[in-house]
Each structure stands twice: as structure tokens, then as C-alpha cells.
Amino acid sequence: MAEKTFKYLIVGGGVAAGYAARQFAKLGVNPGELAIISKEAVAPYERPALSKAYLFPEGTARLPGFHVCVGSGGERLLPEWYKEQGIELILSTEIVKADLAAKSLISAAGETFKYNTLIIATGSTVIRLTDFGVEGADAKNILYLREIDDADKLVEAIKAKKNGKAVIVGGGYIGLELSAALRINNLDVTMVYPEPWCMPRLFTSGIAAFYEGYYANKGIKIIKGTVAVGFTSDSNGKVKEVKLKDGRVLEADIVVVGVGGRPLSTLFKGQVAEEKGGIKTDGFFRTSVPDVYAVGDVVTFPMKLYNDIRRVEHVDHARKSAEQAVKAIKASEEGKTIEEYDYLPYFYSRAFDLSWQFYGDNVGDTVLFGDSSPTSQKPKFGTYWVQDGKVVGAFLEGGSPEENKAIAKVARTKPPVENLDVLTKEGLSFAAKI
């Protein structure tokens, strides 16, 4: 089989790959020097669209509308852009073997790709119920969402099961965004999750109470404290019922599972240092192997702001880590230095008419401020996290761009606070003063 050699090779074709390509183009890359290998059939796109506008009945998002880098207000990189830049997009190609010592990757079709510098941008994959041997979890119409093919299957199911019953397994990001999208499509939606409230990794009980109340007012049923332990299907093999651990049985035409992801690092096991479930890097996204960098969901990196190391699964970090790695690669070639990555954790979500942003760290004591009534016409509320007398994290629902900037500044600067009651009373005005 053919062998191809590139100066720079990016394995993985998600958000990070697109932002890395843009950064290479900015800093100068010669035609034929850079290639992106992706198992998907399309050029890098903004993944968050899949759980939002891609599923809407009106104002639907479709490619080429959400190719990177529109998610951060940048230019849309169409397949033609890569051609113009002399960047090779190697699509529908799955890498099955990586030999970092030999600087080579081998595809399922047996092609060999050699490189001088590698960027691992393989992201993460969804955790499937079949991984745990859940009874009947291989039935048709039990769906997951990670790639555009998954979203297309979900769109088909929504059209085929008009006004049908949907069960969402999981109460995190995907669960909340997909419950909203399916409800907007007039499906009868039930959410099931084992935790005492939704989004427990980020939300406090006070924040969650608002969203659970709001979703209930939209007609979404919420079942907490139990899990799906089995599924039954009809004579066509399509899912018919969801069996819960507490003995309840729910009718279902569509089941969507969102119970988390895991980093896609199997190809590199035993070849590169790992920590906390990810590939370990420094503040320039260099791995333990020379000329091998890793970015996005797959990496555990130094969080300068908190003096520890973490893995972050979010599109914002995928974009920024990719840009940082390319800057570091180019700087080292020129014998220059750049600043270490200094990331402020940032998460956001949009569902129905709601939109929240969170910055910083969700540790310590919390205060809830503002109008968090689920029945409000225009709810606007937030939470501060306070640790060791300093505000270390901030969450805001319904904020303006200026207000969101203000809470980001609070999380970055960690201002001291003497009294939690005063903080509750001041609410947003505290952020405005920083």
C-alpha cells in the first residue's frame, strides 16, 4: 500500500483539528506539509450544533453552515479552504495502529502515514449501554450523539416517530439539550437519571431546581434516582419499552443515551505517559514523546490557575488547546518561547429560550442570587462558589454579553469576599465592580 509523509500530521478530524489547521495557516505552512486524518466523511465542524439547531424543526442547521471556525465568530473553513491552503484532508480514514517510535500511523485500509510532528486530536467517544451488557441495549432506535452520522439517525427517528414517546437516559449536558430539542419536535419526553438532580458535576441543587422546574413546565417528565436496566423491542427489533431499576416500565419509540464519554487514546496506550484518564501533556501540549503533541478532550494538562492537572471535555478547550499546540510547534522551530497555557474553565449551554455560562471552579461554599423561579418570564440568576474567602467560580443564566464577561473576570481574578450574605444580596453587581 501507498506511503505518505507529512511534516505535520493531525490525527482526528473534530473541532480541535479545524482550529489547529487555521492556526497553522496563520503562522505559515507550505502546501503539502500538513494533513488531517479523520474517520468522518466531512471536514471539521462545530460539534455543539448537533445537539442544538441540527435537531430543530425550523431554523435547522446543516453543513456547510457550521464548519469550523464559526463557533468562535471566525471564518468558516469549507473543504475548498483546505485545498487553497495546500492542507490535505484525508477523510473516511480510520487509523488502527500508531507506532510513535517509528513516527508512523497505519489505516484500516493498510495505508501508512509518516510524519515529523504529530498532533493527537482524537477527542472522546460516547459510553454505550452495550459496553455494560445492558439487556436489549442493541435494539434499533436506541441512539447516541457524538458525530454527524449519529445526528442524522436521530433526525430520521424524529421524523419517523412524529408525536411519539422519547426516553432520554442521562441528566447531563446531552440529556438536557436533547430533551429540549425533542420536546421542540413535539415528542413526549421523559428524562431518567440516577443522581438527585440534573448536571450534578456542575450544578448545585439550587441551580438544578430551576432547570428541572422549567423543563417540567415545558411538559418534560423527570425521573430521578434510578437507571435503565433493560429494553424490550418489537418484532422489527425497534425499541418498545425501557425497564427501570425501580421496577417502572416506560413506553418508548426513541431512546437517546447520554451517560458520558471516554477519551479515545487506545491507539497510544503504553507508548505515551497518561494521567487521570488522559494523555499527559505540559503547558504547551507536548506529550512524553518528542514531536508528539495532544489536544482537546484526550489530554490531561496543567491548570495553571489552580496549580493542578486536569482533563477538560469542552469545545472551548478543544479550540484553545489546538491553537496553543500549533503556536508551540512553530515557536520551537524558530527557537522562540511562548507563554504556557493558562486556561480559565468555561462551560455553556443553550436550550429552549435559556442560555447559561459558567467560569472557573465549582468548589467551596455557594450562594444563589437573582430570580431563579422556573415560571419567570425572563429568569436571570446566578451562583458564586467561594473557597478560602475568595470567589473561585461563577454561573449565570440569562446574562448579557457584558454580564457574562463580568462573571468570567470574577472567576479569573478570584476576588476576596468577607460575607456570603452580602454576596447573595449584591449578586451581579458584585461582578460589575471587579
Side-chain angles (χ1 to χ4, degrees):
M1 287 296 287
E3 183 176 297
K4 285 185 165 183
T5 304
F6 298 94
K7 185 174 182 182
Y8 311 108
L9 192 54
I10 300 170
V11 60
V15 172
Y19 280 76
R22 180 178 70 169
Q23 194 63 40
F24 268 118
K26 265 188 199 170
L27 298 178
V29 67
N30 295 319
E33 283 187 339
L34 171 62
I36 295 171
I37 302 178
S38 175
K39 71 178 175 58
E40 292 194 69
V42 294
Y45 56 86
E46 301 282 1
R47 213 177 285 284
L50 299 183
S51 59
K52 300 177 183 75
Y54 202 86
L55 304 175
F56 292 173
E58 288 164 21
T60 315
R62 285 292 176 269
L63 288 178
F66 59 97
H67 279 298
V68 298
C69 299
V70 293
S72 59
E75 176 199 353
R76 188 174 59 178
L77 309 185
L78 301 173
E80 299 85 80
W81 178 87
Y82 296 88
K83 273 203 188 83
E84 286 159 15
Q85 301 294 331
I87 297 168
E88 194 165 336
L89 276 181
I90 303 164
L91 303 175
S92 305
T93 300
E94 188 175 4
I95 297 299
V96 293
K97 187 171 185 282
D99 185 339
L100 300 184
K103 293 193 163 192
S104 76
L105 305 177
I106 295 165
S107 74
E111 303 148 296
T112 300
F113 300 97
K114 296 272 200 179
Y115 59 83
N116 293 356
T117 301
L118 178 68
I119 298 179
I120 298 168
T122 43
S124 49
T125 182
V126 293
I127 292 169
R128 294 175 181 271
L129 296 182
T130 44
D131 300 345
F132 308 109
V134 175
E135 181 202 354
D138 53 356
K140 291 175 193 159
N141 275 9
I142 296 180
L143 305 168
Y144 297 83
L145 186 65
R146 177 68 194 170
E147 296 174 355
I148 209 157
D149 289 355
D150 301 325
D152 286 337
K153 284 177 196 160
L154 186 49
V155 168
E156 276 171 38
I158 289 168
K159 284 178 182 164
K161 301 291 180 183
K162 272 199 168 42
N163 308 322
K165 292 182 187 298
V167 174
I168 309 289
V169 177
Y173 252 110
I174 288 289
L176 285 166
E177 291 189 355
L178 290 188
S179 295
L182 294 181
R183 190 73 196 106
I184 290 165
N185 278 285
N186 268 332
L187 277 97
D188 178 331
V189 178
T190 304
M191 284 179 86
V192 178
Y193 46 90
E195 300 89 357
W197 62 77
C198 63
M199 281 283 279
R201 280 166 63 183
L202 174 59
F203 288 0
T204 62
S205 59
I207 295 172
F210 166 80
Y211 293 99
E212 289 174 353
Y214 189 97
Y215 275 50
N217 292 338
K218 291 284 187 185
I220 293 171
K221 293 179 273 302
I222 295 174
I223 299 175
K224 299 187 266 191
T226 189
V227 291
V229 291
F231 301 89
T232 57
S233 41
D234 63 17
S235 54
N236 299 316
K238 285 186 176 165
V239 72
K240 186 173 73 171
E241 291 170 334
V242 182
K243 298 180 204 167
L244 303 184
K245 194 176 185 178
D246 66 8
R248 278 184 272 190
V249 176
L250 308 175
E251 284 179 54
D253 300 301
I254 300 172
V255 173
V256 190
V257 181
V259 291
R262 57 168 68 100
L264 269 171
S265 56
T266 346
L267 277 172
F268 314 100
K269 281 265 181 271
Q271 300 185 68
V272 65
E274 291 188 64
E275 198 155 343
K276 291 187 176 176
I279 294 173
K280 188 182 179 185
T281 71
D282 62 11
F284 307 101
F285 296 101
R286 295 180 296 213
T287 69
S288 60
V289 178
D291 305 320
V292 177
Y293 292 71
V295 296
D297 288 8
V298 83
V299 304
T300 302
F301 64 95
M303 190 79 83
K304 203 171 167 182
L305 200 56
Y306 308 119
N307 200 26
D308 65 2
I309 65 163
R310 297 188 187 181
R311 197 174 69 79
V312 175
E313 282 184 9
H314 195 260
V315 66
D316 180 63
H317 164 64
R319 293 168 181 152
K320 288 174 179 165
S321 59
E323 289 169 350
Q324 172 76 351
V326 175
K327 286 175 191 167
I329 289 165
K330 285 299 206 175
S332 76
E333 287 174 358
E334 293 159 14
K336 294 177 182 166
T337 55
I338 60 165
E339 291 288 313
E340 272 190 281
Y341 194 57
D342 188 8
Y343 186 64
L344 173 68
Y346 166 53
F347 298 92
Y348 68 86
S349 183
R350 292 188 298 275
F352 293 118
D353 297 325
L354 305 174
S355 173
W356 61 258
Q357 294 196 6
F358 166 83
Y359 295 90
D361 215 5
N362 59 331
V363 291
D365 298 319
T366 60
V367 301
L368 183 69
F369 62 84
D371 173 10
S372 61
S373 164
T375 54
S376 284
Q377 288 303 100
K378 283 211 162 176
K380 183 185 283 194
F381 70 95
T383 289
Y384 293 118
W385 280 260
V386 180
Q387 191 181 42
D388 300 330
K390 290 175 179 173
V391 180
V392 294
F395 171 96
L396 185 61
E397 166 61 54
S400 66
E402 292 72 29
E403 289 163 341
N404 288 326
K405 265 187 201 148
I407 65 158
K409 195 173 180 190
V410 166
R412 167 71 75 186
T413 54
K414 297 191 269 192
V417 61
E418 283 171 23
N419 187 316
L420 294 187
D421 294 337
V422 171
L423 194 56
T424 307
K425 208 165 17 190
E426 286 191 354
L428 257 181
S429 64
F430 174 82
K433 293 187 306 194
I434 303 302

